[in-house]
Amino acid sequence: ILPCTPLAIIKLLTTLDGYTNAIAPFAGKIIAIFNRSEVVGKPLAYMLTHDGATVYSFDINGGVIINKDANTQQPISRHTALKHADIVITGVPTKQFHKIHAAELKSGTICLNFAHVANFTHDAKEYAACYIPRVGTLTVAMCLRNALRLYRNYHHCASESIHD
């Protein structure tokens, strides 16, 4: 059982061209995440580092580099993170967030927004190699996936104990 929205984001990203390594689909990728919540941002960051990525994680207090091999988290600026990121994921649910502009992104960046508020400007959406505006529908599908796994696991274990 995995958190639904982070899993939905990972499923979406792995369907894109170039993410064919089943063991570490994000190996060598730099991913900036603008959301460090306990529900989505942190689980997503750790799931992506587990899959080989270096993650730049941002919250209201700034950014840190999360690397699978590192025990410490080094600070990083928004400017540096966006200039190096292959993928930018945003989930800031407020209009006060300084939206990401095309001039801040490197060429070929994949942009994904999972907040109900758009965190990218129109020019960033047009500039991105791929722009994903929402993940809600797939989040619901991942919830159903989790429910089915729970059901199957429970009934599998229950049927085994009956026959033991």
Side-chain angles (χ1 to χ4, degrees):
I1 302 301
L2 294 168
C4 299
T5 301
L7 184 58
I9 291 167
I10 288 173
K11 295 284 188 187
L12 279 168
L13 293 174
T14 56
T15 63
L16 301 174
D17 290 338
Y19 297 90
T20 57
N21 181 341
I23 296 170
F26 300 102
K29 298 294 181 188
I30 297 174
I31 303 174
I33 303 172
F34 288 83
N35 178 298
R36 203 178 309 146
S37 70
E38 298 292 329
V39 177
V40 180
K42 280 185 182 179
L44 177 60
Y46 289 109
M47 289 166 73
L48 288 166
T49 58
H50 180 268
D51 286 347
T54 296
V55 174
Y56 301 155
S57 177
F58 287 84
D59 67 6
I60 196 165
N61 298 314
V64 294
I65 301 170
I66 300 174
N67 192 315
K68 185 176 182 180
D69 302 325
N71 293 329
T72 59
Q73 296 178 351
Q74 304 168 339
I76 190 163
S77 71
R78 172 184 164 128
H79 173 77
T80 302
L82 290 173
K83 281 297 176 195
H84 291 97
D86 301 299
I87 301 170
V88 178
I89 301 168
T90 62
V92 183
T94 178
K95 292 181 181 180
Q96 284 72 39
F97 175 72
H98 178 70
K99 290 184 179 186
I100 297 171
H101 294 267
E104 297 178 278
L105 301 170
K106 81 175 197 177
S107 179
T109 302
I110 296 167
C111 297
L112 184 147
N113 184 77
F114 67 86
H116 66 279
V117 176
N119 294 157
F120 293 93
T121 61
H122 181 71
D123 69 325
K125 295 174 190 178
E126 295 293 320
Y127 182 75
C130 177
Y131 175 69
I132 302 167
R134 66 187 67 80
V135 298
T137 304
L138 194 53
T139 296
V140 172
M142 294 303 103
C143 183
L144 294 170
R145 169 204 176 267
N146 283 345
L148 284 170
R149 285 188 175 211
L150 285 169
Y151 177 84
R152 287 180 182 147
N153 289 344
Y154 173 78
H155 287 284
H156 177 70
C157 293
S159 65
E160 283 182 357
S161 63
I162 292 170
H163 299 294
D164 287 343

